[in-house]
Amino acid sequence: MSQSPAAFLAEEPLRTVAFAATDALLREDVKSLGGLVGEILAEQCGQRFLDDVEALRRSAIHRREQQAPVAELADALAGIETLRAADLVRAFATYFQAVNLAERVHRIRRRRDHERSGDGAQPGGLRAVLGDLAREGVSVEEVAALLPRLRIEPVFTAHPTEAVRRALLEKERLIVRCLMDDIDRGRTPVERRVDRERIRMALTASWQTAEAPPVKPSVTDEFEHVSYYLAEVLYRVVPVYCEVFEEALREHFPGAASLPPVLGFGTWVGGDMDGNPNVGAGTIAATLAGQRALVLAAYRRDLTALAETLSQSLSRVAASDAVLAQVAAYRALMPTAAAKLHPRHADMPYRNLLTLMIERLWANTHEDREGYPDAAAFLADLDLIADSLAAHGGAHAGAHAVQRVRRRVQCFGFHLATLDLRQDSGTHDAALAALFDDAGWDARTPDERAQRLHALLESPRPSVPHLDAAPAAKTLAVFRTVAALRPRYGARAFGPYIISMSRTAADALAVLALARVAGCVDADGQVPLDVAPLFETVDDLNASSATLRALFADPVYRSHMAARGNRQLVMLGYSDSAKDGGAVASRWALQQTQIALTQLARDSGVQIAFFHGRGGSVSRGGGKTERAVIAAPRGSVDGYLRLTEQGEVIHRKYGIRALALRNLEQATGGVLRATLRPRPPEPRESAWRAIAAELAGDSRAHYRALVHEDALFPAYFRAATPIDVIERLRIGSRPSKRAGTGDIGSLRAIPWVFAWSQNRAGLTAWYGVGTALERALARHGREALAEMARDWPFFGTLVDDMEMVLAKSDPGIFERYSLLAQGLPEGDLHARFHPGIAAEFERARAAVLAIKDETELLNGDQRLQQSIRLRNPYVDPISLLQVELLARWRAAGRSDDDLLNALVATVNGIAAGVQNTG
């Protein structure tokens, strides 16, 4: 019997799913959207196709609920026609799209429920955190002292495993708008029918739109993608965030100073040169120009709306002399624009001034002399209007709207987002070797290189033997571009210059030397950039204190630091350190590094600020930001949070305005708590640290024995994961590998983690952890580790993250991927590797359950447990289709484009279902 479209994905006849009462409306939304998906599939592909999808869904649910063998479901998919397989994958992915949006909207609904009940303070939000701090005895003076140095700065990066097309983002926004309009079921039946048709239109158009463009995106395409979140979402959120923060301050800390600008945003798109030959001086210039154009256009729209609002007439109310004088000055400055002012508006000073301000912004766009010299001058005009309104009864006649624009200008300036620059230390060394005509430069000791660089840095007119050396041309062009554009775009337009794979003090001196050779210095002869070493491997993290101590002892570098306010930014690499030594060793090295460098800062009389290079997955430092901040070592936060946001994390956290606001509040709340009331000293912590060090050593040894020390493991990895498909994805401008031999070490961390999430193993997060925890339980007992998980945020967060990844992993599905490693030229690698990996998974699972004293994973997080349970039956068929298609594609020599396109669809579908993938 055919399944009716309305029943598709809407009913669960094979299982009983108990939703909490607070989630009843979420269930309704999922049911409604699921019914729509079914109707669309029947319309677009026919009833028989819908029946096939429904049969697969039922089989997948049966397999999960009855714990049936994976083979039964896999056999049902064997031999499926390629294009049919691609459509099946898109069908389940369309469901995920709908459910993901419903869940995000439900998060907003829960926030609204909090605001309507009790005191209205949602846990983790600014009102709740400031209320807790006030009750804990934090004084107004403490808060007032912190606010001027409080800084929250998410940095958006291009992501080579996820990038939702702009066309699909717009359709998602329409669906969200419809769901939000009926979030409390206040719509009339007619309005609800109209909303349903709008959602149907968006979902159908999405079905008919390819998920990825036919060509690999350029850096310009990546800029447009990230700019969507900056200019369309966060531009609107910033003033609301400030209002929420100010209201919470007034409630709990009356008398505290007014809120200064605490938010800023950064980007790597257009400035991240590390391993990307498509990025350089040209993309830096284009990105800065593009960002300026976007933010100026946004300001023009704001001023146009303000001009409509601020229609005050001098015959009704006075305006300040300063406003009137500015109108007169602008009439003289821009007579052509002034001639266009409408005579009927002659007695409307605010409208006239705003109209002329718009003309100045147009002049900035065209780089005409009438433009504003900088954002501060533009802000000064807004201040004139705000002050005049305040003095002439305008507090409720437009002042609020002016204040919102002021908040945006304070945050976004004329640059929209700070552009970071990043390059590998090896590229700098290659450039210096060419400039010095020194083929042995790489072989020189750090001290030898530092001495040679000192001679260059201390010379009033630095010169090198081969200034026109070709290997140095691209690097010098970057610094020349910074020197040329900094006067135009301002100091805030450029973020730090980050040195990947930093290992010695000479790596930082190399940047200063190259900048000076290129003429990138200010009026005082100093390089006008913050130089930020990025410590990426476990060994480099462990050696970072010695590296920075040597750098701080260098008089040339200390002179540079003095010019930069005696502040050193240090970037911590979560991704490569975890790829190098496993998740536990990485986290422990990061924790120890922050402790050591915080103490070094005190000893050296400088400020060290940490920039956290986190990704979306647990293996790359992902997880809840506020928990990570609170778990950081005491004193390491100090009012400052800068972290990378990537790929699906950007989309999940910043795709919807209300959720973007919530995430910014939670991050700020974590920083406030960690700074104003850090955890008190804990006498048990020394013992806990000793156990953590054991865990790090044991897990790293076990992890490296498999990943880095077994010569056959790279071949197994390439067979048992879809890495060969990931390498062909057309969603990132940067290559998936660094220059190298093609082994695991040369593969970038993002596709490495992504590949292991695709095959449902999640190995990068837990391999080595099971062995380490099992040994720790044997040495110290369950009670000791349970106490650590309960009372030490560092370890508690680690265990919770492991539990989440283990719950999302599926050993049965992974085994199907592993079987692809049979019959390789290297032998039966499935038989060689799979038993050990499966055993390690069971060790990790058993250890986490023992520490938590539970019988099932995620018993303490029922909402996440239920979400995974609901999703798995829809991810499983996509995973098994991927295995089937991988085998065919590889057997055909990886030359069948239809198979590749179907495989790409499976990659996108699994990523949408599993989440936290890269």
Side-chain angles (χ1 to χ4, degrees):
M1 180 181 294
S2 296
Q3 178 79 4
S4 70
F8 174 67
L9 303 176
E11 303 294 339
E12 301 293 346
L14 301 180
R15 58 180 172 174
T16 300
V17 181
F19 279 78
T22 53
D23 294 337
L25 294 183
L26 169 63
R27 183 183 178 89
E28 288 182 13
D29 284 345
V30 170
K31 182 177 180 179
S32 174
L33 291 170
L36 265 179
V37 169
E39 292 174 18
I40 291 165
L41 295 179
E43 173 192 81
Q44 296 295 309
C45 301
Q47 183 64 44
R48 182 178 174 183
F49 177 77
L50 177 63
D51 292 343
D52 289 346
V53 172
E54 176 62 10
L56 271 177
R57 183 181 78 93
R58 287 172 173 268
S59 296
I61 291 175
H62 173 78
R63 178 246 161 179
R64 284 280 174 180
E65 297 301 312
Q66 304 302 319
Q67 298 183 343
V70 177
E72 292 182 14
L73 185 58
D75 290 345
L77 296 167
I80 192 169
E81 189 264 331
T82 301
L83 296 181
R84 190 74 162 179
D87 281 342
L88 285 172
V89 171
R90 285 293 300 273
F92 287 116
T94 301
Y95 167 76
F96 288 133
Q97 175 194 8
V99 171
N100 287 345
L101 292 176
E103 288 187 343
R104 290 170 191 163
V105 169
H106 190 59
R107 286 183 59 197
I108 300 170
R109 182 182 289 120
R110 287 164 52 202
R111 178 186 177 96
R112 289 161 59 90
D113 289 343
H114 274 287
E115 291 175 350
R116 281 192 290 247
S117 64
D119 68 355
Q122 187 176 12
L126 285 168
R127 190 176 176 205
V129 170
L130 287 171
D132 289 343
L133 290 171
R135 285 185 285 274
E136 291 171 22
V138 173
S139 67
V140 171
E141 292 74 21
E142 288 178 276
V143 173
L146 171 61
L147 288 177
R149 58 189 174 87
L150 181 64
R151 186 71 174 171
I152 311 297
E153 192 169 8
V155 179
F156 294 167
T157 75
H159 195 285
T161 61
E162 196 271 2
V164 181
R165 297 185 79 170
R166 180 69 175 259
L168 296 177
L169 286 173
E170 296 290 354
K171 293 172 180 61
E172 282 195 4
R173 186 158 66 171
L174 188 151
I175 295 170
V176 168
R177 191 179 305 124
C178 291
L179 293 174
M180 286 294 299
D181 286 344
D182 201 29
I183 195 168
D184 293 326
R185 302 300 186 260
R187 302 285 271 180
T188 68
V190 172
E191 290 170 334
R192 197 166 289 146
R193 283 197 297 273
V194 172
D195 287 342
R196 180 179 172 84
E197 288 308 308
R198 294 172 70 200
I199 294 173
R200 182 200 300 273
M201 176 188 69
L203 287 172
T204 305
S206 295
W207 174 264
Q208 296 178 347
T209 302
E211 293 172 295
V215 296
K216 195 176 182 70
S218 65
V219 178
T220 300
D221 296 326
E222 292 173 338
F223 163 75
E224 291 177 357
H225 177 71
V226 166
S227 294
Y228 170 85
Y229 300 98
L230 290 167
E232 298 290 335
V233 180
L234 292 165
Y235 183 83
R236 296 172 178 268
V237 166
V238 162
V240 181
Y241 164 91
C242 294
E243 290 158 13
V244 170
F245 202 159
E246 285 184 321
E247 184 178 345
L249 285 170
R250 283 194 297 269
E251 179 181 356
H252 296 293
F253 294 95
S258 61
L259 183 69
V262 300
L263 269 185
F265 299 93
T267 177
W268 279 14
V269 178
D272 183 8
M273 300 165 282
D274 179 14
N276 192 341
N278 303 303
V279 178
T283 61
I284 291 168
T287 298
L288 292 173
Q291 290 184 172
R292 170 168 282 202
L294 282 173
V295 78
L296 291 179
Y299 293 152
R300 291 196 302 270
R301 290 192 295 269
D302 280 352
L303 295 195
T304 299
L306 276 180
E308 290 295 317
T309 299
L310 300 182
S311 59
Q312 286 89 336
S313 301
L314 290 175
S315 60
R316 297 289 300 166
V317 64
S320 69
D321 291 342
V323 167
L324 300 177
Q326 195 72 321
V327 172
Y330 284 176
R331 283 180 179 274
L333 176 68
M334 299 176 290
T336 302
K340 298 176 185 178
L341 293 175
H342 203 294
R344 291 169 59 86
H345 300 159
D347 67 339
M348 296 180 178
Y350 301 130
R351 180 170 289 184
N352 285 330
L353 178 54
L354 288 162
T355 301
L356 294 169
M357 290 167 63
I358 292 171
E359 291 300 321
R360 289 204 78 179
L361 291 176
W362 272 117
N364 282 110
T365 300
H366 300 301
E367 298 190 14
D368 295 335
R369 65 177 182 84
E370 294 88 356
Y372 285 103
D374 52 34
F378 176 49
L379 183 61
D381 275 353
L382 291 170
D383 289 343
L384 288 180
I385 297 173
D387 292 343
S388 180
L389 288 169
H392 298 94
H396 302 289
H400 176 71
V402 174
Q403 175 67 351
R404 285 197 157 191
V405 181
R406 289 185 69 258
R407 288 297 193 189
R408 289 171 178 145
V409 178
Q410 288 173 333
C411 177
F412 297 106
F414 277 180
H415 63 289
L416 184 64
T418 291
L419 179 63
D420 289 6
L421 308 176
R422 184 172 77 133
Q423 184 57 280
D424 190 278
S425 61
T427 300
H428 300 147
D429 285 337
L432 288 165
L435 292 170
F436 287 138
D437 193 19
D438 184 353
W441 179 259
D442 283 348
R444 296 187 182 277
T445 67
D447 286 344
E448 289 174 334
R449 278 183 282 155
Q451 289 176 8
R452 186 78 182 270
L453 293 171
H454 276 162
L456 199 63
L457 289 166
E458 292 168 358
S459 171
R461 294 191 176 184
S463 62
V464 289
H466 294 280
L467 184 59
D468 58 350
K474 190 172 181 179
T475 300
L476 294 179
V478 167
F479 290 107
R480 289 174 182 140
T481 298
V482 173
L485 298 183
R486 192 169 179 272
R488 181 189 307 174
Y489 293 111
R492 289 178 64 194
F494 290 98
Y497 191 105
I498 301 157
I499 313 165
S500 300
M501 292 297 169
S502 289
R503 294 188 171 90
T504 70
D507 292 331
L509 295 176
V511 173
L512 298 183
L514 289 165
R516 287 184 62 82
V517 169
C520 184
V521 293
D522 59 21
D524 297 323
Q526 295 288 346
V527 175
L529 290 170
D530 289 324
V531 178
L534 166 53
F535 299 109
E536 299 184 76
T537 69
V538 172
D539 287 342
D540 291 343
L541 285 165
N542 290 336
S544 62
S545 180
T547 299
L548 286 181
R549 182 171 283 106
L551 199 56
F552 294 164
D554 188 292
V556 173
Y557 193 78
R558 282 306 288 259
S559 174
H560 169 74
M561 281 191 66
R564 306 299 298 170
N566 277 320
R567 179 177 179 273
Q568 176 65 54
L569 187 68
V570 175
M571 187 168 182
L572 303 174
Y574 289 67
S575 304
D576 281 286
S577 60
K579 178 168 162 279
D580 171 47
V584 176
S586 168
R587 291 199 183 192
W588 184 239
L590 289 160
Q591 186 86 349
Q592 293 295 91
T593 295
Q594 291 174 79
I595 292 171
L597 295 186
T598 299
Q599 185 59 50
L600 176 62
R602 296 190 187 103
D603 296 342
S604 305
V606 302
Q607 179 189 2
I608 290 181
F610 295 107
F611 178 12
H612 300 273
R614 305 173 68 210
S617 66
V618 166
S619 306
R620 299 184 54 243
K624 296 180 179 179
T625 300
E626 71 276 16
R627 289 196 66 188
V629 170
I630 291 170
R634 297 176 192 84
S636 65
V637 177
D638 196 28
Y640 183 81
L641 177 64
R642 195 174 206 262
L643 74 165
T644 53
E645 302 279 32
Q646 302 178 347
E648 82 276 2
V649 173
I650 298 177
H651 189 51
R652 189 175 68 249
K653 292 172 67 172
Y654 302 102
I656 299 173
R657 291 201 295 266
L659 296 186
L661 174 62
R662 171 68 173 161
N663 279 293
L664 291 172
E665 279 197 58
Q666 289 176 308
T668 308
V671 172
L672 289 170
R673 170 158 291 285
T675 304
L676 291 169
R677 282 297 180 269
R679 303 184 313 280
E682 170 57 70
R684 296 171 293 175
E685 201 162 304
S686 59
W688 293 343
R689 290 187 176 282
I691 295 174
E694 292 175 7
L695 289 169
D698 289 342
S699 65
R700 186 186 188 200
H702 197 68
Y703 174 90
R704 287 191 63 84
L706 174 72
V707 173
H708 295 291
E709 295 166 10
D710 192 311
L712 293 177
F713 183 75
Y716 176 74
F717 164 68
R718 298 199 68 82
T721 75
I723 185 61
D724 42 353
V725 178
I726 292 169
E727 289 171 341
R728 288 165 172 79
L729 292 178
R730 294 186 293 266
I731 57 175
S733 70
R734 188 172 71 168
S736 62
K737 292 182 180 179
R738 292 185 170 96
T741 61
D743 61 3
I744 300 295
S746 65
L747 186 71
R748 291 191 178 277
I750 296 173
W752 160 253
V753 173
F754 194 49
W756 286 107
S757 69
Q758 282 283 306
N759 70 5
R760 310 290 293 282
L763 174 144
T764 57
W766 52 258
Y767 194 85
V769 178
T771 293
L773 288 177
E774 184 179 73
R775 291 176 183 173
L777 286 166
R779 290 187 195 118
H780 306 286
R782 193 201 76 82
E783 289 301 322
L785 269 69
E787 180 185 64
M788 285 173 62
R790 184 184 66 244
D791 297 340
W792 190 22
F794 169 77
F795 189 65
T797 300
L798 173 67
V799 172
D800 287 346
D801 287 345
M802 292 302 113
E803 181 183 30
M804 184 268 287
V805 175
L806 291 166
K808 286 189 173 185
S809 302
D810 188 311
I813 297 280
F814 165 60
E815 185 176 11
R816 305 295 297 191
Y817 284 87
S818 183
L819 288 167
L820 295 172
Q822 291 178 323
L824 297 178
E826 294 85 354
D828 184 353
L829 298 190
H830 166 72
R832 177 184 176 91
F833 289 108
H834 181 264
I837 293 172
E840 181 68 3
F841 178 89
E842 289 304 321
R843 279 191 289 269
R845 182 178 180 276
V848 167
L849 289 175
I851 291 168
K852 294 209 156 199
D853 196 20
E854 293 285 0
T855 57
E856 187 177 350
L857 294 171
L858 294 178
N859 271 349
D861 190 342
Q862 295 287 324
R863 183 170 273 113
L864 179 57
Q865 186 186 64
Q866 176 176 275
S867 177
I868 293 172
R869 184 185 174 206
L870 288 170
R871 288 169 185 275
N872 275 336
Y874 306 108
V875 185
D876 294 350
I878 304 178
S879 294
L880 294 173
L881 278 169
Q882 188 178 85
V883 174
E884 168 80 10
L885 297 173
L886 268 174
R888 285 193 229 165
W889 183 58
R890 290 169 178 172
R894 298 180 175 87
S895 59
D896 189 320
D897 287 343
D898 286 339
L899 279 170
L900 177 60
N901 291 335
L903 281 165
V904 169
T906 65
V907 169
N908 293 332
I910 294 168
V914 175
Q915 302 186 315
N916 307 105
T917 56

